[in-house]
Amino acid sequence: QLQLVESGGGLVQPGGSLRLSCAASGFTLDYYAIGWFRQAPGKEREGVSCISSSGSVTNYADSVKGRFTISRDNAKSTVYLQMNSLKPEDTAVYTCAAYPRCTVIAHHPGNYWGKGTLVTVSV
C-alpha cells in the first residue's frame, strides 16, 4: 500500500522539542517534495514547511521560522520536522504530503497524504 506515515507526536511542555517523522511506505520518497501541514481544532489547515526532493530548498511559515527545521534522508525515505521552542499555539494534528515540487502546493492536491500525528503543547 502506497502511503505516508507520520510519527513522533505527543505531549510536550512549552519550550520543549519534538521531532516528527514522515516515512514513505510502498514507494520511494526521492522524487517528491514533502510538505508538512497542521490543523488545530476549529481552525483551517495551514502549511508549516516544505522541502524539495533533493533537500536543497526549504521554506517555512512565518509562525515557525527559526524554531522548526525540516530535513530529509532519502536513503531512509523519511522526512523530519524538528520542532524546538514549542508554544501552546503549535498544538495541532501535523500531516505530511508528497508533491512534485514545493512551488505547486497551493494548487495541487498532493500525490500522497499521511493520516497525521497529534502534537499537544501544554503544561
Side-chain angles (χ1 to χ4, degrees):
Q1 188 175 2
L2 309 180
Q3 60 181 351
L4 294 172
V5 180
E6 302 93 341
S7 61
L11 174 64
V12 64
Q13 293 186 345
S17 298
L18 282 175
R19 189 178 78 158
L20 305 184
S21 297
C22 171
S25 177
F27 69 102
T28 180
L29 221 50
D30 295 22
Y31 305 113
Y32 294 96
I34 299 296
W36 280 100
F37 302 83
R38 67 184 182 185
Q39 187 166 19
K43 295 187 176 181
E44 292 190 357
R45 187 176 65 207
E46 65 169 328
V48 174
S49 182
C50 189
I51 187 167
S52 63
S53 58
S54 67
S56 61
V57 178
T58 59
N59 55 54
Y60 300 91
D62 288 342
S63 57
V64 306
K65 205 169 290 184
R67 299 188 297 123
F68 290 11
T69 303
I70 193 170
S71 63
R72 66 190 299 154
D73 184 342
N74 283 346
K76 296 182 178 179
S77 275
T78 302
V79 170
Y80 304 98
L81 185 68
Q82 178 67 43
M83 307 187 297
N84 299 329
S85 303
L86 283 162
K87 305 175 181 179
E89 51 264 42
D90 294 318
T91 295
V93 174
Y94 285 71
T95 306
C96 62
Y99 290 86
R101 296 177 301 282
C102 288
T103 52
V104 306
I105 282 181
H107 51 84
H108 192 285
N111 296 91
Y112 303 100
W113 282 83
K115 294 182 179 180
T117 185
L118 176 62
V119 172
T120 303
V121 185
S122 180
V123 296

